[in-house]
Amino acid sequence: MDFDPTDRDCPARQLLDRIGDQWTVLIVLSLCSGPRRFTQIGEVVSGISQKVLSQTLRSLVRDGMLTRTAYAEVPPRVEYALTPLGHSLADTVAYLDRWAREHMAEVLTARAEFDRAKVS
């Protein structure tokens, strides 16, 4: 099957939308070091609401990027972890994270120059 994400009906476009989402990137980065519980992910990914966290985790499990393991304990414990497919995405996301950190000073300089030119 040939996938063309520029076609609005292509499933690859939906996948790019999912992995390009800010919360997906941050959740995947938070799981690079190993499995985490829902609340731990929420603590690491500051600013995400519980509703959005829940929806994003559910989508990532559905897409095969994460596993969700429920333990029969009191209180119940659920952990999320990257699958092999998720680890392959994590490699790409980690590269983007590294790129952003290395080039952030240049971006801030460009923004400041743009803003100064816009005011003048």
Side-chain angles (χ1 to χ4, degrees):
M1 187 172 208
D2 190 28
F3 296 106
D4 178 7
T6 61
D7 178 354
R8 69 177 172 193
D9 297 325
C10 179
R13 186 173 189 158
Q14 294 170 353
L15 182 58
L16 286 174
D17 288 344
R18 164 66 48 227
I19 61 178
D21 174 72
Q22 69 171 335
W23 301 120
T24 295
V25 168
L26 297 174
I27 289 168
V28 168
L29 285 173
S30 77
L31 293 170
C32 284
S33 59
R36 292 186 190 264
R37 295 174 74 165
F38 181 90
T39 53
Q40 292 172 316
I41 297 169
E43 290 168 359
V44 171
V45 181
S46 63
I48 191 170
S49 70
Q50 287 189 349
K51 178 182 177 183
V52 172
L53 177 57
S54 179
Q55 290 171 341
T56 306
L57 289 170
R58 188 177 302 115
S59 294
L60 290 169
V61 170
R62 181 175 183 251
D63 288 342
M65 304 293 174
L66 304 181
T67 58
R68 179 186 185 276
T69 305
Y71 296 92
E73 299 175 352
V74 177
R77 178 170 57 110
V78 176
E79 286 186 344
Y80 294 89
L82 294 170
T83 63
L85 185 61
H87 277 288
S88 69
L89 174 61
D91 292 342
T92 302
V93 170
Y95 175 80
L96 291 172
D97 175 51
R98 202 167 37 256
W99 184 91
R101 291 169 191 256
E102 290 172 2
H103 296 282
M104 195 66 237
E106 294 169 72
V107 171
L108 291 173
T109 300
R111 287 179 184 174
E113 290 174 4
F114 178 87
D115 292 345
R116 272 194 304 277
K118 195 172 181 182
V119 170
S120 302

